[in-house]
Amino acid sequence: MSMTVKEVQSEILRLKKEKDICILAHSYQAREILEIADFTGDSYALSKMAAKTESSTVLMCGVRFMAETVKILSPEKKVILSSPIAACPMAEQFEKDDILQLKEMFPDYAVVAYINTTAALKTVCDVCVTSSSAVEIVSKLDSKNILFIPDCNLGAFVAKQCPDKNIKLLQGGCPVHAAVSVRHVKEAKALHPRALLLVHPECVPEVAESADYIGSTSGIMNYAVKSDKTEFIIGTENSIVEHLQYMCPEKRFYPLSKSLLCENMKATTLVDVLNCCQGCGGEEIILSEDTIQKARRCIDKMIELGG
Ligand code: 13P
Ligand code: SF4
């Protein structure tokens, strides 16, 4: 017998209550998933929620590094990634050994890891940051010399905001955001000349420099909601265009590029969430005690410095 979206959502809500499951959903998830989540937000907000939730099971609707972060912060909980194939490609661009070699070459550099990294990589880093907390955290670090991994675009944005720091970058980054070019900016502005341009710092510096606002997914959403302007070009995953249109029906939102689609964030369907709640889907995150202990240091430091 077929089910409607509403019926699937009701069944998820019933099951998560019965089984004490907390559903965390990143803002890039589909609308019907955000509607049944206990908490939604950017990577930073979800990390903080992960540390606070009291449920015995956490279901992460997002990508693998986000579920790993929950497990690291709450090792006693059962943590499930909603779709086993949802993995941020940027998180896997460098191996732990690459970073260990760099640490040997640059012993007086603090290693700052974007949270979009594997748990294994986090074990050899000094502090984590997210797009919304990076500038604040880097500016508070004692070390002047910083090796920022893996996203060179977020790193360049941080370097610009923290001119007193000496920041070394690697050639990593988000393939989805980095594919947006100045040509897309020109085309979108020509189509929507009155719109403000809001972009994620994972975009290349030439794109970020032409923006009216640069911020995390939540930063972009808050800016658009609070602004007294009515038209916005959105330079991040296109789900945010849709979510904002629901949140502010009186305003207009346009994608900066139709290629701003993260297939990994879109891997999770509402039925995957139902299957996970029924105990027959997703992937339970298992990490060794050693990885949890070592990776936790840099996530705890992020929460301590990020406020
Ligand atoms: P946020 O920290 O803005 O949620 O970014 C996560 C992400 O994967 C952006 O591409
Ligand atoms: Fe990773 Fe980019 Fe997708 Fe974010 S949008 S999860 S950084 S690939």
Side-chain angles (χ1 to χ4, degrees), residues 26 28 42-43 66 114 116 130-131 177 200 202 216-217 265:
H26 186 268
Y28 289 162
D42 64 7
S43 312
M66 295 176 175
Y114 192 15
N116 299 41
T130 66
S131 52
H177 287 82
H200 198 280
E202 288 174 9
S216 74
T217 50
M265 279 288 184

Side-chain angles (χ1 to χ4, degrees), residues 254-295:
Y254 314 108
L256 173 55
S257 161
K258 63 185 176 193
S259 65
L260 271 165
L261 298 170
C262 176
E263 57 192 17
N264 286 283
M265 279 288 184
K266 289 285 135 39
T268 301
T269 66
L270 188 66
V271 173
D272 287 332
V273 180
L274 176 63
N275 289 341
C276 291
C277 291
Q278 287 171 335
C280 60
E283 179 184 325
E284 182 174 354
I285 299 293
I286 309 285
L287 297 171
S288 74
E289 249 178 61
D290 186 54
T291 300
I292 290 176
Q293 237 182 39
K294 290 182 177 149

Side-chain angles (χ1 to χ4, degrees), residues 29-49:
Q29 294 293 293
R31 189 99 218 120
E32 64 269 22
I33 294 176
L34 295 191
E35 283 173 3
I36 49 82
D38 294 283
F39 300 104
T40 66
D42 64 7
S43 312
Y44 192 61
L46 293 182
S47 314
K48 292 216 296 192
M49 271 312 153

Side-chain angles (χ1 to χ4, degrees), residues 45-272:
L46 293 182
S47 314
K48 292 216 296 192
M49 271 312 153
K52 280 188 201 155
T53 176
E54 280 170 10
S55 306
S56 55
T57 300
V58 178
L59 175 57
M60 172 56 81
C61 303
V63 288
R64 182 170 298 273
F65 77 82
M66 295 176 175
E68 286 185 349
T69 303
V70 178
K71 186 67 187 174
I72 292 163
L73 288 168
S74 302
E76 72 292 352
K77 293 192 202 313
K78 182 172 182 178
V79 178
I80 299 166
L81 172 63
S82 51
S83 168
I85 57 168
C88 169
M90 166 160 45
E92 291 161 22
Q93 283 167 341
F94 295 95
E95 299 287 337
K96 189 171 145 182
D97 282 349
D98 301 328
I99 305 307
L100 287 173
Q101 272 180 25
L102 286 165
K103 278 168 75 126
E104 263 181 42
M105 283 164 71
F106 305 106
D108 57 339
Y109 278 64
V111 182
V112 175
Y114 192 15
I115 198 155
N116 299 41
T117 39
T118 59
L121 208 54
K122 287 183 177 85
T123 61
V124 294
C125 298
D126 296 303
V127 62
C128 270
V129 295
T130 66
S131 52
S132 58
S133 61
V135 172
E136 185 180 359
I137 292 172
V138 167
S139 64
K140 283 182 185 165
L141 290 178
D142 293 335
S143 175
K144 179 179 166 63
N145 294 328
I146 285 163
L147 175 65
F148 192 98
I149 67 162
D151 188 347
C152 62
N153 296 320
L154 176 63
F157 170 70
V158 174
K160 209 170 163 198
Q161 309 292 315
C162 303
D164 54 322
K165 300 285 185 188
N166 174 31
I167 301 186
K168 212 177 261 306
L169 304 174
L170 301 187
Q171 286 310 305
C174 164
V176 177
H177 287 82
V180 177
S181 68
V182 172
R183 178 178 63 83
H184 294 110
V185 172
K186 283 189 186 142
E187 286 173 2
K189 284 193 171 180
L191 273 174
H192 311 291
R194 285 187 304 276
L196 293 185
L197 174 63
L198 318 181
V199 310
H200 198 280
E202 288 174 9
C203 290
V204 297
E206 307 84 73
V207 168
E209 275 154 22
S210 50
D212 298 289
Y213 172 80
I214 308 170
S216 74
T217 50
S218 298
I220 288 175
M221 290 168 98
N222 292 338
Y223 185 96
V225 169
K226 287 191 189 138
S227 171
D228 53 11
K229 299 284 188 295
T230 56
E231 290 186 68
F232 305 88
I233 299 163
I234 303 299
T236 192
E237 219 277 345
N238 284 336
S239 50
I240 302 300
V241 177
E242 186 190 3
H243 300 328
L244 278 168
Q245 198 61 80
Y246 276 92
M247 291 162 81
C248 311
E250 72 291 359
K251 297 182 180 179
R252 286 291 165 264
F253 302 94
Y254 314 108
L256 173 55
S257 161
K258 63 185 176 193
S259 65
L260 271 165
L261 298 170
C262 176
E263 57 192 17
N264 286 283
M265 279 288 184
K266 289 285 135 39
T268 301
T269 66
L270 188 66
V271 173
D272 287 332

